[in-house]
Amino acid sequence: MVLFPLRFVSDSSQRRASPAVSALVAVGLLLPSTAARGQSVARVRVEENIRSEPQGTVLGQTLPGAELPVIDRRDEWVQVDVEGWVWVRSLQQTDRDGFDVVVSEPGGENLREAPSGRIIGRLSAGMLLEDLGRSPGWVRVRRRAWVWGPSLDVATDQEAGPLPTTAGDAGWFASVGDQGAGILTAPDGDTLARAVPGADLAVLFREGNWVRVRLEGWTWLPASGAPSDSAASGAHPLSPADLADDPRRHRGRVVVWGLQFVSLERAESVRTDFFEGEPFLLTRYEGPEGAFVYVAVPPDRLQEVQGIIPLERLTVTARIRTGASSLTGTPILDLIQLERIR
């Protein structure tokens, strides 16, 4: 395992870095939050959503190879001008919100580099656009929008080259680009740490545009007295009831819970806190509350949990993904370690 330096971040008392030496997290490359001085064009690396604002309404998708003029940056997000040609019969005139046309085709419409040219994106039905000009049968359109930065190669006057591509399958070591990488508690989750440029991260598996990595290194933790077992492991003495009181407050913290296994499940599309098809353990908390708890299982750990029998007792070390799932209000944890109690 390659060891690498970290810069832990903390913007509130609820987002302190754990003293644990290792953790399993999701990673995305972070772009600077400053304005895009000297910046010209972002090249789309993988298919990605275009949004009305960071984490806002999805307006459509942009395809690999598309080049987008960069307007601004905000944390991990890049504001761009999405521009191209659309078949005129798929548009209607409008004056809503200062725009000129709207995509009227119920299934959306392709965005092309030129009339009848290469497809560079897909615009959703109802997307509002500026009308920049006409050609027989075609309209040149533009929309200012936001794109997730790690899916882009951004060239500037001050950069030697584009950001490196993230690793693909498990077993890779992904090299962090020149601008560093944010280590998040979950995709779109809170920032846990920041890897410096050039660090190598061991990739466990990939899910869409995210990779799960193993983070291992050293941090200074002076010995002062005899810490409790939970303090020594970096775990917090929280219960499901504590998480239910404020579901977002404890995201990213590590807990060690006694759980009783019920079944191994796969997440359906309605469980929006999971990836579709993501494996998880349905368990019951062994404390006085007896609450149900979901434990998300990384694909590389799936074989490890397949032999667990119903009602078997477990000691689970895990990181809190959310204190209350959107569908059932159940806590969701990301598995770090599991001990079967015989």
Side-chain angles (χ1 to χ4, degrees):
M1 175 64 66
V2 177
L3 300 181
F4 55 91
L6 296 173
R7 290 197 296 269
F8 287 98
V9 299
S10 175
D11 58 9
S12 74
S13 59
Q14 278 74 47
R15 201 179 292 181
R16 291 190 295 268
S18 165
V21 223
S22 63
L24 300 179
V25 292
V27 62
L29 294 178
L30 291 181
L31 297 171
S33 58
T34 56
R37 188 187 329 181
Q39 202 149 303
S40 52
V41 172
R43 179 182 291 273
V44 179
R45 179 186 299 149
V46 295
E47 180 177 345
E48 187 57 271
N49 291 327
I50 52 178
R51 298 176 181 267
S52 59
E53 57 185 346
Q55 297 183 333
T57 302
V58 175
L59 304 174
Q61 291 77 39
T62 184
L63 300 180
E67 294 186 347
L68 310 172
V70 173
I71 308 302
D72 198 4
R73 301 186 185 194
R74 187 185 303 169
D75 297 325
E76 301 98 325
W77 296 87
V78 180
Q79 189 181 41
V80 297
D81 274 342
V82 179
E83 190 171 322
W85 294 84
V86 176
W87 180 238
V88 67
R89 294 185 181 179
S90 297
L91 300 173
Q92 287 184 353
Q93 296 292 127
T94 185
D95 57 2
R96 184 151 54 99
D97 298 334
F99 291 95
D100 306 306
V101 292
V102 60
V103 178
S104 56
E105 183 66 26
E109 185 53 276
N110 292 327
L111 179 70
R112 296 179 181 268
E113 196 171 43
S116 301
R118 180 173 66 97
I119 297 173
I120 57 175
R122 183 78 182 173
L123 309 182
S124 300
M127 182 176 177
L128 298 168
L129 300 157
E130 298 177 66
D131 183 342
L132 301 181
R134 304 286 176 116
S135 182
W138 297 89
V139 181
R140 186 172 182 84
V141 297
R142 180 173 62 195
R143 176 67 186 262
R144 189 154 292 181
W146 292 86
V147 179
W148 178 239
S151 298
L152 305 174
D153 287 332
V154 182
T156 74
D157 296 339
Q158 300 167 340
E159 290 175 345
L163 295 173
T165 305
T166 55
D169 300 327
W172 287 64
F173 276 89
S175 182
V176 175
D178 293 340
Q179 301 186 44
I183 310 296
L184 311 184
T185 58
D188 296 324
D190 293 330
T191 301
L192 178 70
R194 183 172 175 82
V196 299
D200 291 327
L201 307 178
V203 176
L204 302 181
F205 71 96
R206 184 177 191 127
E207 183 68 47
N209 296 333
W210 293 89
V211 290
R212 187 181 181 95
V213 300
R214 176 167 284 116
L215 184 155
E216 187 169 327
W218 295 85
T219 187
W220 179 251
L221 186 65
S224 55
S228 64
D229 290 341
S230 62
S233 67
H236 292 270
L238 301 169
S239 72
D242 296 323
L243 273 56
D245 290 341
D246 191 346
R248 293 184 58 85
R249 178 183 178 186
H250 301 293
R251 286 175 59 177
R253 289 187 171 178
V254 174
V255 293
V256 179
W257 284 355
L259 302 173
Q260 188 173 45
F261 174 75
V262 178
S263 60
L264 176 62
E265 307 285 344
R266 292 273 184 175
E268 310 95 326
S269 59
V270 294
R271 296 185 184 274
T272 55
D273 300 288
F274 292 92
F275 296 117
E276 185 173 357
E278 184 176 11
F280 68 93
L281 306 180
L282 172 61
T283 68
R284 188 181 288 275
Y285 183 67
E286 288 203 315
E289 305 152 53
F292 284 109
V293 177
Y294 300 147
V295 183
V297 180
D300 65 310
R301 306 285 296 276
L302 190 56
Q303 186 174 1
E304 178 184 346
V305 302
Q306 285 177 332
I308 303 175
I309 60 176
L311 305 184
E312 186 172 348
R313 295 173 58 233
L314 311 169
T315 299
V316 170
T317 303
R319 191 177 302 280
I320 299 167
R321 179 181 296 188
T322 178
S325 66
S326 56
L327 184 64
T328 63
T330 304
I332 301 177
L333 311 180
D334 283 296
L335 179 64
I336 297 176
Q337 294 178 351
L338 181 147
E339 179 184 354
R340 300 171 67 174
I341 302 176
R342 304 291 184 175

